């Protein structure tokens, strides 16, 4: 199946570069381009893309507001938002993740990493494993006052002990393969536990599961000296 991508960035040259790169792949295509957040929301509702590459800083409606609207729209439940950022304003990225974005990439990303990121997010996974992202998560996702609160401690009572354990490893940035090695089970078994936890908690994707782990207190943010 072809991954349908919407580009949302106010820099026309960057959009053109991404379009050429994405359209050169047999398994994905750019279906629309938006120069601001309002247009991104409108075009998302028209084209129902699989993935939106969303810049945060855009004129008018910015990418943060657009992400919140898109991820809250039931008709766009299958659309994943991948944030593009220069890492200058980490708390905005954290708020986007809490609002439902599936991860983020730096604008200086390599071509290979960009394409892999799109495929990863389209598959329902998230880009939350690099060390920089772990720091971002531990600094901001558990803090009050940023974005929507998705889960409290009581919300995890329906999870099994193993599901909570796997959820904690996911929140710390480990892949299914890494978790499988720690628990001496297969990656498929880990993936099953992840999806069961997501279903029980109503998590949109793996990224929201991570947010819930921190917000509920299942995983504690790292102290400053360990970040």
């Amino acid at each position: 199946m072809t991954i349908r991508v919407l580009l949302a960035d106010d820099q026309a040259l960057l959009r053109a570069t991404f379009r050429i790169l994405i359209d050169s792949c047999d398994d994905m295509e750019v279906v629309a381009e938006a120069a601001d957040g309002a247009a991104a929301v409108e075009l998302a509702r028209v084209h129902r893309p699989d993935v939106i590459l969303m810049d945060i800083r855009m004129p008018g409606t910015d990418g943060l507001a657009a992400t919140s609207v898109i991820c809250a729209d039931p008709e766009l439940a299958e659309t994943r938002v991948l944030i593009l950022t220069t890492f200058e304003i980490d708390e905005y990225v954290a708020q986007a993740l809490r609002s439902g974005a599936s991860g983020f990439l730096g604008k200086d990303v390599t071509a290979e990493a960009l394409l892999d990121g799109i495929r990863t997010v389209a598959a329902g996974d998230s880009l939350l494993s690099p060390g920089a992202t772990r720091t971002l998560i531990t600094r901001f996702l558990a803090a009050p006052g940023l974005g929507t609160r998705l889960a409290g401690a009581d919300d995890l009572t329906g999870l099994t002990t193993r599901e909570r354990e796997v959820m904690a490893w996911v929140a710390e940035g480990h892949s299914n393969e890494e978790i499988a090695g720690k628990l001496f089970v297969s990656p498929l078994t880990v993936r099953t536990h992840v999806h069961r936890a997501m279903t029980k908690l109503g998590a949109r994707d793996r990224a929201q599961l991570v947010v819930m782990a921190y917000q509920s207190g299942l995983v504690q943010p790292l102290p400053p000296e360990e970040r």
Side-chain angles (χ1 to χ4, degrees), residues 73-85:
D73 189 337
E75 295 187 358
L76 296 175
E78 301 302 317
T79 295
R80 301 289 179 256
V81 177
L82 182 55
I83 298 293
L84 293 171
T85 177

PDB file of all heavy atoms in Angstrom, residues 73-85:
ATOM      1  N   ASP A  73      -9.852  14.970  15.920  1.00  0.00           N
ATOM      2  CA  ASP A  73     -10.925  14.747  14.961  1.00  0.00           C
ATOM      3  C   ASP A  73     -11.123  13.243  14.746  1.00  0.00           C
ATOM      4  O   ASP A  73     -10.241  12.569  14.213  1.00  0.00           O
ATOM      5  CB  ASP A  73     -10.572  15.416  13.628  1.00  0.00           C
ATOM      6  CG  ASP A  73     -11.735  15.422  12.650  1.00  0.00           C
ATOM      7  OD1 ASP A  73     -12.637  14.567  12.786  1.00  0.00           O
ATOM      8  OD2 ASP A  73     -11.735  16.273  11.743  1.00  0.00           O
ATOM      9  N   PRO A  74     -12.260  12.695  15.147  1.00  0.00           N
ATOM     10  CA  PRO A  74     -12.497  11.249  14.987  1.00  0.00           C
ATOM     11  C   PRO A  74     -12.377  10.775  13.544  1.00  0.00           C
ATOM     12  O   PRO A  74     -11.994   9.635  13.282  1.00  0.00           O
ATOM     13  CB  PRO A  74     -13.926  11.061  15.509  1.00  0.00           C
ATOM     14  CG  PRO A  74     -14.174  12.238  16.398  1.00  0.00           C
ATOM     15  CD  PRO A  74     -13.411  13.367  15.780  1.00  0.00           C
ATOM     16  N   GLU A  75     -12.703  11.660  12.598  1.00  0.00           N
ATOM     17  CA  GLU A  75     -12.624  11.273  11.192  1.00  0.00           C
ATOM     18  C   GLU A  75     -11.185  11.167  10.695  1.00  0.00           C
ATOM     19  O   GLU A  75     -10.943  10.644   9.608  1.00  0.00           O
ATOM     20  CB  GLU A  75     -13.408  12.274  10.338  1.00  0.00           C
ATOM     21  CG  GLU A  75     -14.909  12.264  10.623  1.00  0.00           C
ATOM     22  CD  GLU A  75     -15.676  13.134   9.662  1.00  0.00           C
ATOM     23  OE1 GLU A  75     -15.039  13.771   8.790  1.00  0.00           O
ATOM     24  OE2 GLU A  75     -16.909  13.178   9.765  1.00  0.00           O
ATOM     25  N   LEU A  76     -10.242  11.679  11.495  1.00  0.00           N
ATOM     26  CA  LEU A  76      -8.827  11.605  11.122  1.00  0.00           C
ATOM     27  C   LEU A  76      -8.056  10.684  12.063  1.00  0.00           C
ATOM     28  O   LEU A  76      -6.851  10.827  12.247  1.00  0.00           O
ATOM     29  CB  LEU A  76      -8.205  13.012  11.135  1.00  0.00           C
ATOM     30  CG  LEU A  76      -8.773  13.996  10.117  1.00  0.00           C
ATOM     31  CD1 LEU A  76      -8.166  15.378  10.306  1.00  0.00           C
ATOM     32  CD2 LEU A  76      -8.544  13.507   8.687  1.00  0.00           C
ATOM     33  N   ALA A  77      -8.769   9.724  12.635  1.00  0.00           N
ATOM     34  CA  ALA A  77      -8.164   8.819  13.609  1.00  0.00           C
ATOM     35  C   ALA A  77      -7.019   7.997  13.023  1.00  0.00           C
ATOM     36  O   ALA A  77      -6.121   7.558  13.748  1.00  0.00           O
ATOM     37  CB  ALA A  77      -9.226   7.887  14.188  1.00  0.00           C
ATOM     38  N   GLU A  78      -7.033   7.778  11.717  1.00  0.00           N
ATOM     39  CA  GLU A  78      -5.988   6.971  11.076  1.00  0.00           C
ATOM     40  C   GLU A  78      -4.824   7.819  10.583  1.00  0.00           C
ATOM     41  O   GLU A  78      -3.832   7.290  10.068  1.00  0.00           O
ATOM     42  CB  GLU A  78      -6.579   6.184   9.903  1.00  0.00           C
ATOM     43  CG  GLU A  78      -7.706   5.235  10.289  1.00  0.00           C
ATOM     44  CD  GLU A  78      -7.272   4.227  11.334  1.00  0.00           C
ATOM     45  OE1 GLU A  78      -6.147   3.689  11.204  1.00  0.00           O
ATOM     46  OE2 GLU A  78      -8.036   3.989  12.294  1.00  0.00           O
ATOM     47  N   THR A  79      -4.932   9.132  10.718  1.00  0.00           N
ATOM     48  CA  THR A  79      -3.867  10.036  10.266  1.00  0.00           C
ATOM     49  C   THR A  79      -2.852  10.240  11.382  1.00  0.00           C
ATOM     50  O   THR A  79      -3.222  10.525  12.511  1.00  0.00           O
ATOM     51  CB  THR A  79      -4.447  11.392   9.841  1.00  0.00           C
ATOM     52  OG1 THR A  79      -5.285  11.218   8.700  1.00  0.00           O
ATOM     53  CG2 THR A  79      -3.337  12.371   9.483  1.00  0.00           C
ATOM     54  N   ARG A  80      -1.578  10.107  11.071  1.00  0.00           N
ATOM     55  CA  ARG A  80      -0.513  10.290  12.045  1.00  0.00           C
ATOM     56  C   ARG A  80       0.244  11.595  11.763  1.00  0.00           C
ATOM     57  O   ARG A  80       0.503  11.922  10.600  1.00  0.00           O
ATOM     58  CB  ARG A  80       0.468   9.115  11.992  1.00  0.00           C
ATOM     59  CG  ARG A  80      -0.185   7.768  12.272  1.00  0.00           C
ATOM     60  CD  ARG A  80      -0.571   7.628  13.734  1.00  0.00           C
ATOM     61  NE  ARG A  80      -1.227   6.357  14.023  1.00  0.00           N
ATOM     62  CZ  ARG A  80      -2.535   6.218  14.219  1.00  0.00           C
ATOM     63  NH1 ARG A  80      -3.320   7.275  14.110  1.00  0.00           N
ATOM     64  NH2 ARG A  80      -3.054   5.043  14.496  1.00  0.00           N
ATOM     65  N   VAL A  81       0.580  12.307  12.815  1.00  0.00           N
ATOM     66  CA  VAL A  81       1.313  13.568  12.681  1.00  0.00           C
ATOM     67  C   VAL A  81       2.757  13.365  13.125  1.00  0.00           C
ATOM     68  O   VAL A  81       3.025  12.908  14.234  1.00  0.00           O
ATOM     69  CB  VAL A  81       0.662  14.683  13.513  1.00  0.00           C
ATOM     70  CG1 VAL A  81       1.494  15.968  13.411  1.00  0.00           C
ATOM     71  CG2 VAL A  81      -0.764  14.935  13.053  1.00  0.00           C
ATOM     72  N   LEU A  82       3.676  13.730  12.255  1.00  0.00           N
ATOM     73  CA  LEU A  82       5.102  13.656  12.537  1.00  0.00           C
ATOM     74  C   LEU A  82       5.640  15.086  12.553  1.00  0.00           C
ATOM     75  O   LEU A  82       5.624  15.777  11.536  1.00  0.00           O
ATOM     76  CB  LEU A  82       5.806  12.822  11.463  1.00  0.00           C
ATOM     77  CG  LEU A  82       7.307  12.585  11.597  1.00  0.00           C
ATOM     78  CD1 LEU A  82       7.650  11.971  12.948  1.00  0.00           C
ATOM     79  CD2 LEU A  82       7.790  11.677  10.470  1.00  0.00           C
ATOM     80  N   ILE A  83       6.072  15.542  13.722  1.00  0.00           N
ATOM     81  CA  ILE A  83       6.488  16.928  13.901  1.00  0.00           C
ATOM     82  C   ILE A  83       7.885  17.166  13.336  1.00  0.00           C
ATOM     83  O   ILE A  83       8.800  16.373  13.562  1.00  0.00           O
ATOM     84  CB  ILE A  83       6.482  17.303  15.401  1.00  0.00           C
ATOM     85  CG1 ILE A  83       5.069  17.185  15.983  1.00  0.00           C
ATOM     86  CG2 ILE A  83       7.033  18.704  15.613  1.00  0.00           C
ATOM     87  CD1 ILE A  83       4.079  18.181  15.435  1.00  0.00           C
ATOM     88  N   LEU A  84       8.040  18.279  12.625  1.00  0.00           N
ATOM     89  CA  LEU A  84       9.348  18.735  12.158  1.00  0.00           C
ATOM     90  C   LEU A  84       9.767  19.904  13.037  1.00  0.00           C
ATOM     91  O   LEU A  84       8.991  20.835  13.247  1.00  0.00           O
ATOM     92  CB  LEU A  84       9.271  19.192  10.699  1.00  0.00           C
ATOM     93  CG  LEU A  84       8.986  18.103   9.666  1.00  0.00           C
ATOM     94  CD1 LEU A  84       8.727  18.733   8.303  1.00  0.00           C
ATOM     95  CD2 LEU A  84      10.165  17.139   9.577  1.00  0.00           C
ATOM     96  N   THR A  85      10.985  19.862  13.567  1.00  0.00           N
ATOM     97  CA  THR A  85      11.399  20.894  14.505  1.00  0.00           C
ATOM     98  C   THR A  85      12.898  21.120  14.452  1.00  0.00           C
ATOM     99  O   THR A  85      13.660  20.272  13.998  1.00  0.00           O
ATOM    100  CB  THR A  85      11.006  20.501  15.948  1.00  0.00           C
ATOM    101  OG1 THR A  85      11.475  21.486  16.857  1.00  0.00           O
ATOM    102  CG2 THR A  85      11.606  19.164  16.333  1.00  0.00           C
TER     103      THR A  85
END
